[in-house]
Amino acid sequence: MLMKHAGLDISDDAIRCLEYSGHHFPNLKISRHSSVAIPDKVVGGGEINDEKAFDALLDKFDKENNLSYVKVSIPEEKAYLFQTDVMGKDPLSIAQNVEFKLEENVPLSVSDAVFYFDILPMSVTGGALRASVSVVPRVYVEKIIAKLNNCGMVPVAFEVVPKSIAKAIIPANSTSTIMIIHVMNNKTGVYIVAGGVVCFTSTVAWGGRPPATGAMPNIDILTKEIGRIATYWVSHGIASSEIKQILLVGGDAPKYQNEIKEAAAGFGLTVGIGNAWSNSFSLDHYIPAISREESLDYAVVAGLAMEL
């Protein structure tokens, strides 16, 4: 039996939810969606700075949307990502092998950590059996569970933001290596995804919203980071995992598409806008109530809301 759930994204900027009716592409339809802005400084880098304000906002959001079972995002700043060669022929033995290597790769004990892994494509590893592992402090997960339970919500799973976005915008069965640029209000995530597996993440202290002065943010900060990461990948990867494309998400991302395109041209990369519904439905047959621009802010919950 499949448990129906909504995707729930709690970012520094907003709380968003989305739920589908139907089960599989291309027959999914959006049965509900909602978004509320989080006031400045209430949440930062995934850390809740104003507990009282956050709890009141989350409780109100839950009551307005009547949420029950939810799959919840984890911001990339709260997760450690590493790669390790593994042994084993089944998920259980690989998981045991990964667990054995946790403490040598992250500053957490096994008892204090929650982790999951994906097996990287052979095109990236050169034939080695290698896992991409995401690790989150158990205390953080337990804190979010408690806050959700207090509002009457039951989390069925957690997933880091880069993986949720990749699941939403990168076509299923893709073997390409793609850079995702996730533009938020005050920061931007830069992720490399190969064959649908998140291989690299970085968070840049640059956001798409103009500062209080009204001047546009200095895009050079972001384009330099894109160049740095592209250079790193070329020097550490193999030819078959060469990055071919950049996909942009986040409601403000289209404003900076031309500048990013200019910076990417030097690395031979094309730049496009991500489609949050790539693996949900075809726009030829179903037009959602969410506008194209607004959908760029729903990419995280679009991935979270998919079947477990």
Side-chain angles (χ1 to χ4, degrees):
M1 295 179 65
L2 295 173
M3 181 181 293
K4 293 296 292 182
H5 70 277
L8 180 68
D9 177 35
I10 302 171
S11 70
D12 296 356
D13 308 332
I15 301 174
R16 292 185 179 87
C17 71
L18 184 143
E19 187 171 353
Y20 295 117
S21 61
H23 293 295
H24 302 289
F25 176 88
N27 299 317
L28 296 179
K29 292 185 178 180
I30 297 172
S31 57
R32 68 168 130 180
H33 71 280
S34 184
S35 174
V36 62
I38 296 178
D40 288 346
K41 299 181 181 179
V42 171
V43 180
E47 198 66 44
I48 300 170
N49 301 317
D50 188 331
E51 300 272 351
K52 185 176 180 180
F54 177 82
D55 291 346
L57 191 64
L58 184 64
D59 186 61
K60 182 181 179 183
F61 187 81
D62 174 53
K63 286 182 169 61
E64 290 176 347
N65 292 283
N66 192 30
L67 298 171
S68 52
Y69 297 105
V70 291
K71 185 175 182 182
V72 189
S73 66
I74 294 177
E76 57 267 31
E77 297 100 320
K78 286 296 179 182
Y80 300 96
L81 179 70
F82 71 91
Q83 295 180 19
T84 182
D85 288 349
V86 292
M87 299 175 61
K89 296 182 179 180
D90 59 86
L92 179 59
S93 61
I94 293 174
Q96 291 171 338
N97 193 240
V98 169
E99 184 177 285
F100 182 74
K101 297 181 177 182
L102 279 184
E103 293 184 18
E104 63 187 67
N105 286 283
V106 301
L108 293 170
S109 66
V110 172
S111 61
D112 292 333
V114 177
F115 74 92
Y116 74 82
F117 66 90
D118 291 304
I119 298 300
L120 289 160
M122 295 297 183
S123 61
V124 174
T125 66
L129 184 62
R130 187 173 302 154
S132 177
V133 187
S134 293
V135 189
V136 182
R138 184 177 297 276
V139 65
Y140 175 79
V141 174
E142 291 176 345
K143 179 178 181 178
I144 299 301
I145 289 174
K147 289 189 175 296
L148 294 170
N149 288 165
N150 287 340
C151 296
M153 287 182 273
V154 178
V156 297
F158 288 82
E159 190 167 81
V160 292
V161 164
K163 182 172 182 176
S164 298
I165 294 176
K167 188 185 298 182
I169 72 171
I170 295 179
N173 302 317
S174 169
T175 58
S176 300
T177 301
I178 296 169
M179 180 184 290
I180 296 174
I181 308 295
H182 179 207
V183 179
M184 294 161 275
N185 286 358
N186 300 302
K187 63 184 179 183
T188 295
V190 183
Y191 321 132
I192 296 177
V193 181
V197 178
V198 178
C199 301
F200 178 92
T201 68
S202 175
T203 302
V204 187
W206 178 92
R209 294 292 170 91
T213 60
M216 292 299 286
N218 183 2
I219 189 67
D220 289 347
I221 296 173
L222 177 59
T223 56
K224 286 179 181 177
E225 182 68 2
I226 292 171
R228 183 187 71 82
I229 293 172
T231 301
Y232 165 85
W233 189 258
V234 168
S235 62
H236 287 75
I238 59 177
S240 58
S241 68
E242 182 182 356
I243 302 170
K244 299 293 186 180
Q245 184 183 27
I246 292 176
L247 290 177
L248 308 178
V249 295
D252 292 311
K255 298 177 184 177
Y256 306 97
Q257 184 177 6
N258 290 336
E259 290 92 337
I260 293 172
K261 189 178 292 186
E262 287 181 16
F267 296 91
L269 306 179
T270 62
V271 178
I273 302 298
N275 175 10
W277 319 125
S278 285
N279 298 305
S280 304
F281 48 78
S282 169
L283 293 171
D284 293 334
H285 301 101
Y286 169 64
I287 303 299
I290 302 175
S291 69
R292 165 71 163 160
E293 181 177 295
E294 188 183 11
S295 73
L296 296 175
D297 278 327
Y298 276 85
V300 178
V301 282
L304 288 169
M306 292 179 184
E307 288 182 358
L308 297 175

